Amino acid sequence: DGGITQSPKYLFRKEGQNVTLSCEQNLNHDAMYWYRQDPGQGLRLIYYSQIVNDFQKGDIAEGYSVSREKKESFPLTVTSAQKNPTAFYLCASSMTRPYGYTFGSGTRLTVV
Amino acid sequence: DAKTTQPNSMESNEEEPVHLPCNHSTISGTDYIHWYRQLPSQGPEYVIHGLTSNVNNRMASLAIAEDRKSSTLILHRATLRDAAVYYCILRDVNPNRDDKIIFGKGTRLHILP
């Protein structure tokens, strides 16, 4: 079955460490996105990529980095520069507009 | 970027229809209206989308105002499993504009048994 996989589901890291969240899709979608969600809040866009080897900053890119070397993969690195990294991170992919997004099941990151 | 406005929360009784409103007064001619829903600790799930005409699928119906400044997601017969946060967003199909979608806080739908 086609889908989008985020791993791990839960992640714990010590303050000051970089951590990379995985996102893989086998839907043959060109576009991929990373969102952050805090408790009781909506989704905020971190980075997005419309094609391999290209990506753009979203509204809250500071302290995060991404790469898009393969169509299927869009990993997100949360760096030590991110001041408040504890959150629920969601990855999504999409066919060409206007079609809808497919979301992964999320990674809950806790920094202690 | 065009924005949407939704009520923070709504309640409905089980087995009754639910009408979830969304205002998008600054919508452009190339914006499609999309609806998603999110269950606790899960990623959002696509529900439906449309441009001008009303749309139906197995999950819901989408009614779009004639001036396109508002829309309504209709769940015809709510069940307890429909309790979720519902997001109304706009997606611009103009290839000259960034494909950057803004999610608001959505509407938290409570279903009463």
Side-chain angles (χ1 to χ4, degrees), chain B residues 5 11 17 20 24 36 41 53 55 58 80 83 93-94 99-100 103 105 108 112:
Chain B
T5 305
E11 268 186 7
L20 294 160
H24 25 79
Y36 292 80
S41 298
S53 305
V55 184
R58 62 175 182 81
L80 294 176
V93 298
N94 185 337
D99 191 15
K100 183 177 150 182
F103 280 80
K105 292 185 183 179
R108 184 172 296 278
L112 305 175

Side-chain angles (χ1 to χ4, degrees), chain B residues 17-93:
Chain B
V18 181
H19 291 236
L20 294 160
C22 181
N23 287 320
H24 25 79
S25 57
T26 59
I27 192 170
S28 75
T30 51
D31 279 323
Y32 273 70
I33 301 156
H34 284 236
W35 283 82
Y36 292 80
R37 71 179 186 183
Q38 186 179 23
L39 298 170
S41 298
Q42 295 187 25
E45 172 189 28
Y46 166 82
V47 177
I48 201 166
H49 76 279
L51 182 63
T52 56
S53 305
N54 294 345
V55 184
N56 301 296
N57 66 22
R58 62 175 182 81
M59 290 180 73
S61 295
L62 175 59
I64 301 171
E66 200 168 329
D67 63 5
R68 300 207 328 123
K69 292 185 187 299
S70 65
S71 61
T72 303
L73 180 72
I74 302 164
L75 307 179
H76 294 286
R77 195 165 164 271
T79 69
L80 294 176
R81 286 175 293 180
D82 292 321
V85 177
Y86 286 79
Y87 298 98
C88 165
I89 64 163
L90 301 178
R91 190 169 192 194
D92 194 342
V93 298

Side-chain angles (χ1 to χ4, degrees), chain B residues 1-13:
Chain B
D1 299 321
K3 300 283 194 295
T4 62
T5 305
Q6 300 176 253
N8 288 336
S9 66
M10 291 182 63
E11 268 186 7
S12 180
N13 293 320

Side-chain angles (χ1 to χ4, degrees), chain A residues 55-76:
Chain A
F55 49 83
Q56 286 78 40
K57 291 182 180 180
D59 297 320
I60 56 165
E62 187 176 344
Y64 299 98
S65 66
V66 292
S67 62
R68 187 85 188 278
E69 296 174 5
K70 298 187 300 181
K71 188 174 186 177
E72 302 80 18
S73 178
F74 192 40
L76 173 75

Side-chain angles (χ1 to χ4, degrees), chain A residues 9 33 35 37 40-43 45 48 50 59 88 90 94-101 103-105 108, chain B residues 32 34 36 38 41-44 46 49 87 91-95 97-105 108:
Chain A
K9 194 169 176 64
Y33 309 81
Y35 287 90
Q37 187 171 38
Q41 303 297 310
L43 282 65
L45 182 64
Y48 62 108
Q50 293 178 263
D59 297 320
F88 187 47
L90 286 158
S94 173
M95 289 192 288
T96 349
R97 306 180 244 196
Y99 296 102
Y101 283 10
F103 279 85
S105 54
R108 192 167 298 279
Chain B
Y32 273 70
H34 284 236
Y36 292 80
Q38 186 179 23
S41 298
Q42 295 187 25
Y46 166 82
H49 76 279
Y87 298 98
R91 190 169 192 194
D92 194 342
V93 298
N94 185 337
R97 297 208 183 118
D98 277 343
D99 191 15
K100 183 177 150 182
I101 294 180
I102 308 295
F103 280 80
K105 292 185 183 179
R108 184 172 296 278

